[in-house]
């Protein structure tokens, strides 16, 4: 198959979930949660994040609405009843934890491992690529924010462009 399915099947989504080496991340998130509230289990919140990517939804709310309508999809990520679909604030709080250490480093490790696997399977990866920025909501960053990203080794397109322009100017 040369392209992404417009509406991936449950089997495709299940295969996508299996391809992600996330056991260490999930264990770290469970330890971080400790004995706190568990109204939205870690594996469910992670499933929502992954579904948003797999289904190419523009927002978390769209993914949660889909889970409210689709029982098979709910069961795939471990939600037994429609009433147990998380709220958007559960996923927002979860995302905040994902973006903090040590989870952020683990996410980067997962991403790198997956890119290496794809790179091994597709040797000319990146030679001729295009991206869809339809769902991006970008705003110009100030100089201070850009320097912070560079210091944290975050590679946003704006930072990459600034670095390229700076290198050419030298």
């Amino acid at each position: 198959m040369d392209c992404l399915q417009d509406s991936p099947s449950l089997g495709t989504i299940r295969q996508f979930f299996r391809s992600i080496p996330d056991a260490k991340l999930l264990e770290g998130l469970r330890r971080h949660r400790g004995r706190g509230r568990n109204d939205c289990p870690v594996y469910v919140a992670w499933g929502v994040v992954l579904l948003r990517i797999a289904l190419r939804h523009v927002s978390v709310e769209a993914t949660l609405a889909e889970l409210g309508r689709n029982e098979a999809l709910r069961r795939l990520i471990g939600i037994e009843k429609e009433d147990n679909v998380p709220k958007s604030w559960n996923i927002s709080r979860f995302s905040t934890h994902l973006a903090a250490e040590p989870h952020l480093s683990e996410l980067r490790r997962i991403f790198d491992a997956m890119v290496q696997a794809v790179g091994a399977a597709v040797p000319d990866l990146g030679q001729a690529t295009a991206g869809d920025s339809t769902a991006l909501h970008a705003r110009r960053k100030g100089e201070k924010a850009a320097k912070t990203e560079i210091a944290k080794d975050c590679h946003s397109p704006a930072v990459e462009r600034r670095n390229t322009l700076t290198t050419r100017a030298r």
Side-chain angles (χ1 to χ4, degrees):
M1 183 183 302
D2 309 282
C3 60
L4 294 171
Q5 298 170 344
D6 286 334
S7 182
S9 69
L10 288 174
T12 300
I13 295 169
R14 190 176 292 113
Q15 187 176 2
F16 168 60
F17 284 170
R18 286 187 196 132
S19 72
I20 300 172
D22 56 5
K24 188 175 175 184
L25 173 68
L26 290 171
E27 180 55 35
L29 288 163
R30 280 188 209 101
R31 270 195 316 273
H32 175 78
R33 176 170 279 176
R35 298 180 214 273
R37 290 179 56 174
N38 199 24
D39 46 335
C40 179
V42 167
Y43 63 88
V44 169
W46 179 238
V48 171
V49 169
L50 294 178
L51 280 175
R52 181 175 177 203
I53 296 164
L55 300 175
R56 293 181 276 165
H57 284 161
V58 175
S59 68
V60 168
E61 289 77 11
T63 306
L64 296 173
E66 177 81 16
L67 286 167
R69 293 186 298 270
N70 189 328
E71 179 182 359
L73 201 55
R74 276 196 309 269
R75 291 188 180 280
L76 185 65
I77 65 168
I79 301 173
E80 294 298 320
K81 300 183 298 188
E82 184 179 346
D83 293 344
N84 294 345
V85 172
K87 306 294 184 225
S88 60
W89 61 81
N90 296 121
I91 306 307
S92 175
R93 189 169 38 244
F94 179 77
S95 296
T96 300
H97 293 299
L98 279 177
E101 292 300 342
H103 314 302
L104 182 59
S105 291
E106 187 56 26
L107 278 173
R108 285 186 174 137
R109 187 199 62 76
I110 291 169
F111 180 80
D112 290 346
M114 293 181 75
V115 168
Q116 286 176 354
V118 171
V122 185
D124 63 344
L125 180 67
Q127 299 294 321
T129 60
D132 179 3
S133 62
T134 304
L136 295 179
H137 304 284
R139 290 184 193 89
R140 186 165 191 251
K141 293 186 178 182
E143 195 64 34
K144 183 177 178 181
K147 286 180 181 179
T148 301
E149 279 191 2
I150 291 168
K152 288 184 175 181
D153 195 30
C154 295
H155 298 290
S156 72
V159 171
E160 292 300 320
R161 179 165 166 64
R162 184 174 290 134
N163 289 346
T164 302
L165 293 174
T166 304
T167 303
R168 286 185 191 159
R170 288 182 191 159

